[in-house]
Amino acid sequence: MRKKWWLLSLSALFALLLIAGCGSDTKETTDTPDEGETSQSDGESETTSFEPGSYEDGLYFAQEDDFSENSGWKYMVTLEVEDGEIVSAEWNGAHKNGGVDKITSSSSGEYGMVENGDAQSEWHEQAELTEAYLLETQDPTAIEYSSDEGHTDAISGVSIHVAEFFDLAKEALANGPVERGMYKDGAYYAEEDDFSEDSGWKYTASLTVVNGYIVAADWNGIHEDGGDDKDTVSANGEYGMVENGGAQSEWHEQAELAEAYLLETQDPTAIEYTSDDGHTDAISGVTIHVSEFFELAEAALADAK
């Protein structure tokens, strides 16, 4: 009898330990996401809903963060919503060298996708078909791609990759309405009147404005003796500001940082100088004098207000 009682007690103790162990495993699995999973706090907490007829009225805008290393272009999308529906959509692009926008370049024949690339129609014409598809579906997620590059068979007459447009449309709608920028759309350019007596260079600034925003800015220079522009001379190592002058980076690299600062601030007067020569501490990584660029940008935008 005592032996039987002892066996029953041992069985009960084992059962309790088993139950406790299972409870511990369940808690650990529930509280800790598996590797590769993302909790709500790690990313977007909610998925944006793209329901036709439910959009907030207003103007929407989004642009890519960087210019393409291959083509030099970056894309932007402008949408207008009235009574909850998308009533207009514009897919455009700006080049890292400034100048006219991609619609203008394509419409004028300068881009030349038919002549140079044997396309069935020009870029701006295919962009218009893509925009029309969004106006019809009212949903930037209602598109199926046929390639990793973002081509589609859903839009007749379109052979270009369209993922950039629909991704930016999603981003614009997710971010909500924005105010239009302060400038008139267009291409703006200014250059110094004279070549420097010391260096032989004179500076130029070329800007692109889309939806009122400066979307591209190029600071460059031309030499009185002709030849390549300053960007090119610096990029190929001929200018040699690092090797010959002990600079922390080449001229074109520092110029790009100055350009990025203008794209961020959208105001060429929003820069403070630390010397009469036009140096600044406002732009990390820049030791060259930058006043020439911002003064030229201000002059170029004088007619854009």
Side-chain angles (χ1 to χ4, degrees):
M1 182 70 178
R2 182 176 298 177
K3 182 176 181 181
K4 184 177 180 181
W5 176 85
W6 181 82
L7 289 173
L8 288 172
S9 300
L10 185 61
S11 298
L13 180 60
F14 178 76
L16 288 172
L17 289 173
L18 184 61
I19 292 172
C22 292
S24 176
D25 289 343
T26 302
K27 185 175 187 297
E28 183 177 352
T29 303
T30 302
D31 292 347
T32 306
D34 291 336
E35 185 177 354
E37 292 183 355
T38 303
S39 62
Q40 280 193 329
S41 61
D42 291 336
E44 295 183 3
S45 58
E46 296 180 0
T47 301
T48 303
S49 176
F50 299 103
E51 297 181 5
S54 67
Y55 302 118
E56 181 181 354
D57 287 4
L59 191 68
Y60 295 76
F61 181 75
Q63 61 179 310
E64 291 180 312
D65 294 330
D66 303 305
F67 296 95
S68 168
E69 293 183 1
N70 296 323
S71 68
W73 291 97
K74 75 172 179 181
Y75 289 113
M76 60 240 23
V77 167
T78 305
L79 307 175
E80 187 176 358
V81 172
E82 292 180 1
D83 298 326
E85 294 189 350
I86 305 169
V87 295
S88 71
E90 182 186 83
W91 181 14
N92 209 341
H95 199 273
K96 65 179 181 180
N97 292 335
V100 299
D101 58 80
K102 194 165 187 177
I103 292 176
T104 303
S105 178
S106 177
S107 300
S108 67
E110 181 183 351
Y111 192 66
M113 201 168 71
V114 172
E115 181 179 356
N116 302 323
D118 294 327
Q120 57 186 326
S121 57
E122 297 293 352
W123 183 87
H124 70 283
E125 296 172 318
Q126 298 195 40
E128 289 173 357
L129 294 174
T130 306
E131 296 160 357
Y133 184 86
L134 177 61
L135 296 184
E136 179 183 352
T137 63
Q138 292 288 307
D139 183 355
T141 66
I143 181 73
E144 292 185 0
Y145 301 115
S146 56
S147 73
D148 293 336
E149 292 79 17
H151 296 88
T152 185
D153 295 330
I155 310 174
S156 178
V158 172
S159 58
I160 59 176
H161 41 86
V162 298
E164 298 91 340
F165 170 71
F166 290 103
D167 287 345
L168 286 171
K170 286 189 290 185
E171 181 181 339
L173 290 170
N175 290 340
V178 298
E179 295 294 329
R180 181 178 171 81
M182 68 178 80
Y183 305 106
K184 292 187 295 185
D185 288 4
Y188 300 92
Y189 177 85
E191 66 178 57
E192 292 179 314
D193 294 330
D194 303 306
F195 294 98
S196 168
E197 294 182 359
D198 297 326
S199 67
W201 291 100
K202 75 173 177 179
Y203 288 111
T204 66
S206 181
L207 312 175
T208 310
V209 175
V210 173
N211 192 36
Y213 296 99
I214 306 169
V215 292
D218 181 54
W219 179 19
N220 209 339
I222 52 180
H223 201 273
E224 61 184 349
D225 294 333
D228 291 331
D229 57 70
K230 194 166 186 176
D231 269 344
T232 303
V233 171
S234 176
N236 66 23
E238 186 178 347
Y239 193 66
M241 202 168 72
V242 172
E243 181 178 356
N244 301 324
Q248 59 181 333
S249 56
E250 298 294 352
W251 185 88
H252 71 284
E253 296 171 320
Q254 298 195 40
E256 288 174 358
L257 294 174
E259 295 160 0
Y261 184 85
L262 177 59
L263 296 186
E264 180 182 353
T265 64
Q266 293 289 305
D267 184 357
T269 67
I271 182 74
E272 294 185 359
Y273 302 113
T274 56
S275 72
D276 294 337
D277 297 328
H279 295 88
T280 185
D281 292 333
I283 310 174
S284 178
V286 172
T287 58
I288 59 176
H289 41 87
V290 297
S291 55
E292 298 91 341
F293 169 63
F294 289 101
E295 289 171 0
L296 284 171
E298 183 180 4
L301 291 168
D303 296 330
K305 296 291 181 68

